[in-house]
Amino acid sequence: MEDYHKPDQQTLQALKDAANRLRISSIKATTAAGSGHPTSCCSAAEIMSVLFFHTMRYKVQDPRNASNDRFVLSKGHAAPILYSVWAEAGFLQEAELLNLRKIDSVLEGHPVPRQAFTDVATGSLGQGLGAACGMAYTGKFFDRASYRVYCLLGDGELSEGSVWEAMAFAGFYKLDNLVAIFDINRLGQSDPAPLQHHVEIYQKRCEAFGWHAIIVDGHSVEELCKAFGQAKHQPTAIIAKTFKGKGISGVEDKESWHGKPLPKNMAEQVIQEIDDRIQNKKKLSPALPEEDAPIINIRNIKMPSPPTYKVGEKWATRKAYGVALAKLGHANDRVIALDGDTKNSTFSELFKKEHPSRYIECYIAEQNMVSIAVGCATRDRTVAFASTFATFFTRAFDQIRMAAISDSNINLCGSHCGVSIGEDGPSQMGLEDLCMFRAIPNSTVFYPSDAVATEKAVEIAANTKGICFIRTSRPENPVIYNNNEDFHIGQAKVILKSKDDQVTVIGAGVTLHEALAAAEQLRKEKIYIRVIDPFTIKPLDKKTILENARATKGRIITVEDHYHEAIQNQRQGGNTQCAG
């Protein structure tokens, strides 16, 4: 970044005027909607004005240009001021702001990627900075481009542990292209924030996490310009002391106004008061970015060669995952891997060995790992695979849920699933993961039963939109498929079949092998069973399951390495039993 040059008085006044117009637009939008958070918007008005009309470099009419600076509104409830900024810049029509929160408007109550200027959905507090870290890591280490990433957080969400996981990540990797802005407006939703205006404590915390921390008057455009102009070889935290409801007489810095629009008569009076402070109607234009982000292609990624397994060989699917991912990395240099200090168990270490510059160690911070993956995948810059024990994704469920709302394309691999891990005990057993990932909108859940199926699942996941989950197992089991076997989402395999079958048994992963062993034993007693491998648990191959259920007089047994209560909604027709 260039050395700081103090803006002239005309520019400073224009930034103050822009901030007040943002206040007016936010108040108008929320009053028209009858709901929203105008006071949370007003505390951030100068921050947003300086960011979007002095500091950031971007193309207004091309918000997702790969070379644009990025902005994440982690305090997503302040969405109206984000929309107001894009109206001020000329991307949105100002009249559209009055459709805020209407069912037929793209301007929802919190930011979502339906909006061309929004990369990740926010509103579940504490997650924006993790996604911003992923964007910044991508910019610094993968794109090697000059774009910078800015993230605005509220002081209330600084109580979330996920924020500090992200702070630790950025400090460790020295993400000097990342700037976090803390809007310290003192007041939370129902009470003051725990530190209120003790900004020096925030500064010490940020410095302890390896950040360059600057305290500013968050309503001084000159101080903000100077703070944003400082360049250090570490991430920067701008701790802005602000007042909630700034500019709204009788409301500024008062409790009990969170999430409340101003009544119409009050809004009109306040708008007039703020408008009287505006000296010039002239609008500022942002600087253009340097077009240095590389053109990339992540479509139609294919394995460079077929699988090379032998039927009957014993392989753990967790190891086959690592082999497949390392192999996929040779097909496209935008395939990346993340792990939470379990790479020698998930076998993502095989990817790291062959592609060290594309492996991100996230350490034991699974919530942040998912957010980093989401950030890395924005604007189609990478194909991200993140892995840990299946059970540890439960603590990141909210991040996964928000990833789906963000229309993110990330691939998650959970190893050591089910009771089959044995001696480690229940704390390590993934027994809720299938139902958890099935509940995610537009997700795909793979449960490969051998090494060949695992390699195919990895390749398919890389080319599938939405959240993909690959469930892998610790035990070694025989390879049952030929290397040229074809696999598709939602298509099951009938592994064992005869005209005398009395029941259809469905198993996946280790339970498929148990089902095959049971079939062999039962055959000796002249009892014949049909065995199905679903390959994907979402979507299920209803057609194949029902056809075979009818052939066995409606009798189905599902053998599942999962909690019984969590799988009730997976039953499809017939008389079903669960063994597992």
Side-chain angles (χ1 to χ4, degrees):
M1 181 179 285
E2 297 178 0
D3 293 335
Y4 171 71
H5 296 288
K6 180 181 175 180
D8 58 34
Q9 286 303 313
Q10 187 177 358
T11 300
L12 291 173
Q13 185 58 50
L15 291 169
K16 293 177 185 176
D17 291 341
N20 280 321
R21 283 195 293 272
L22 297 180
R23 284 193 174 91
I24 289 171
S25 294
S26 299
I27 292 168
K28 283 182 176 179
T30 50
T31 295
S35 63
H37 301 75
T39 59
S40 300
C41 295
C42 288
S43 67
E46 282 78 15
I47 294 169
M48 296 292 279
S49 173
V50 172
L51 259 180
F52 277 83
F53 302 110
H54 180 265
T55 302
M56 287 173 56
R57 300 169 301 168
Y58 62 100
K59 292 184 174 182
V60 171
Q61 297 304 326
D62 186 11
R64 287 193 181 153
N65 185 290
S67 295
N68 282 354
D69 285 346
R70 275 68 161 156
F71 175 76
V72 178
L73 182 66
S74 191
K75 51 176 280 181
H77 53 283
I81 200 162
L82 176 64
Y83 307 154
S84 298
V85 154
W86 284 97
E88 176 82 5
F91 182 77
L92 292 174
Q93 296 294 321
E94 289 195 16
E96 177 63 19
L97 298 178
L98 300 181
N99 293 324
L100 174 71
R101 292 177 168 237
K102 290 183 180 178
I103 194 167
D104 58 348
S105 173
V106 73
L107 303 182
E108 297 189 15
H110 293 77
V112 289
R114 287 177 59 206
Q115 304 146 0
F117 46 81
T118 297
D119 286 300
V120 293
T122 54
S124 184
L125 293 174
Q127 297 188 29
L129 186 59
C133 283
M135 296 175 191
Y137 192 101
T138 297
K140 182 172 183 174
F141 295 108
F142 302 144
D143 285 341
R144 295 184 174 89
S146 60
Y147 65 77
R148 296 174 65 77
V149 182
Y150 299 88
C151 181
L152 177 60
L153 302 92
D155 49 358
E157 67 182 307
L158 298 180
S159 293
E160 289 280 5
S162 54
V163 169
W164 300 98
E165 287 185 6
M167 293 288 288
F169 180 94
F172 179 78
Y173 286 109
K174 294 182 169 54
L175 299 181
D176 52 359
N177 57 346
L178 175 64
V179 179
I181 308 99
F182 292 0
D183 182 6
I184 309 299
N185 66 23
R186 192 180 76 82
L187 298 175
Q189 176 171 330
S190 61
D191 262 326
L195 294 181
Q196 299 199 40
H197 272 150
H198 293 291
V199 288
E200 71 284 353
I201 298 178
Y202 288 113
Q203 183 180 41
K204 290 175 183 177
R205 288 183 180 181
C206 293
E207 289 172 345
F209 278 80
W211 289 59
H212 174 56
I214 311 165
I215 295 173
V216 299
D217 174 353
H219 299 303
S220 166
V221 294
E222 184 174 345
E223 285 190 32
L224 286 164
C225 287
K226 185 176 181 179
F228 283 124
Q230 294 189 27
K232 300 288 182 180
H233 297 296
Q234 61 190 131
T236 297
I238 295 176
I239 301 158
K241 181 180 178 180
T242 62
F243 293 93
K244 200 162 188 173
K246 176 69 174 178
I248 305 176
S249 56
V251 171
E252 181 178 322
D253 199 34
K254 295 289 192 297
E255 293 187 39
S256 302
W257 274 98
H258 180 90
K260 294 179 181 178
L262 304 188
K264 190 171 184 295
N265 290 342
M266 182 181 182
E268 290 173 353
Q269 179 182 338
V270 167
I271 288 168
Q272 185 59 57
E273 291 173 2
I274 297 173
D275 188 65
D276 289 343
R277 299 176 199 137
I278 297 174
Q279 295 184 15
N280 197 316
K281 302 294 183 183
K282 184 181 177 182
K283 295 187 177 182
L284 296 168
S285 297
L288 294 175
E290 186 177 344
E291 298 270 4
D292 57 359
I295 297 171
I296 62 167
N297 183 7
I298 59 171
R299 296 176 183 273
N300 197 29
I301 301 174
K302 299 297 181 186
M303 286 290 186
S305 60
T308 56
Y309 298 102
K310 294 179 181 178
V311 172
E313 279 185 337
K314 286 195 169 184
W315 277 79
T317 53
R318 61 172 177 143
K319 186 172 184 180
Y321 166 79
V323 170
L325 191 57
K327 190 173 174 181
L328 192 71
H330 291 289
N332 190 296
D333 64 5
R334 286 285 159 159
V335 174
I336 66 170
L338 306 86
D339 205 293
D341 194 27
T342 57
K343 58 185 173 291
N344 56 341
S345 292
T346 63
F347 282 93
S348 64
E349 67 178 3
L350 300 179
F351 183 94
K352 181 184 179 183
K353 183 178 179 181
E354 295 189 29
H355 315 283
S357 66
R358 287 187 272 142
Y359 173 83
I360 307 175
E361 180 55 68
C362 297
Y363 299 98
I364 303 172
E366 291 84 4
Q367 294 183 17
N368 191 56
M369 179 178 73
V370 171
S371 292
I372 296 294
V374 169
C376 288
T378 57
R379 304 196 188 189
D380 293 332
R381 302 311 294 171
T382 69
V383 178
F385 284 81
S387 52
T388 186
F389 286 16
T391 194
F392 300 147
F393 277 121
T394 58
R395 65 169 31 140
F397 180 73
D398 193 26
Q399 278 74 10
I400 297 166
R401 180 184 73 89
M402 290 300 294
I405 296 172
S406 296
D407 297 328
S408 184
N409 301 315
I410 58 170
N411 307 291
L412 307 176
C413 177
S415 72
H416 293 65
C417 64
V419 298
S420 60
I421 69 165
E423 297 83 358
D424 278 345
S427 70
Q428 310 299 295
M429 296 174 178
L431 294 166
E432 310 86 359
D433 53 312
L434 286 179
C435 112
M436 182 176 86
F437 279 98
R438 277 174 53 87
I440 296 295
N442 303 315
S443 64
T444 303
V445 180
F446 298 89
Y447 194 0
S449 295
D450 79 345
V452 173
T454 303
E455 184 162 317
K456 298 289 187 178
V458 169
E459 181 181 45
I460 294 170
N463 296 284
T464 300
K465 287 192 174 295
I467 310 300
C468 288
F469 177 61
I470 303 173
R471 193 183 207 225
T472 63
S473 305
R474 181 182 184 181
E476 294 182 346
N477 287 116
V479 173
I480 59 174
Y481 293 112
N482 293 316
N483 290 315
N484 60 358
E485 185 75 29
D486 205 15
F487 287 84
H488 298 279
I489 291 171
Q491 289 189 15
K493 304 284 185 184
V494 181
I495 306 298
L496 202 60
K497 179 180 180 180
S498 79
K499 62 181 178 61
D500 300 317
D501 294 336
Q502 299 172 43
V503 63
T504 295
V505 177
I506 305 172
V510 294
T511 64
L512 178 72
H513 296 275
E514 294 298 324
L516 292 172
E520 179 64 22
Q521 185 175 329
L522 289 168
R523 186 178 61 80
K524 296 173 183 177
E525 302 174 28
K526 302 279 195 255
I527 300 172
Y528 299 95
I529 66 173
R530 190 162 299 192
V531 179
I532 294 178
D533 175 8
F535 183 57
T536 56
I537 307 301
K538 181 186 178 184
L540 282 170
D541 186 348
K542 297 179 184 179
K543 181 174 180 289
T544 295
I545 292 170
L546 291 173
E547 283 178 356
N548 288 277
R550 293 187 187 103
T552 55
K553 300 180 180 179
R555 291 187 286 264
I556 304 176
I557 296 176
T558 61
V559 191
E560 310 185 28
D561 200 358
H562 202 271
Y563 278 134
H564 176 269
E565 292 85 356
I567 54 182
Q568 294 296 321
N569 65 339
Q570 294 182 32
R571 305 289 148 63
Q572 302 289 331
N575 300 313
T576 64
Q577 294 182 11
C578 173

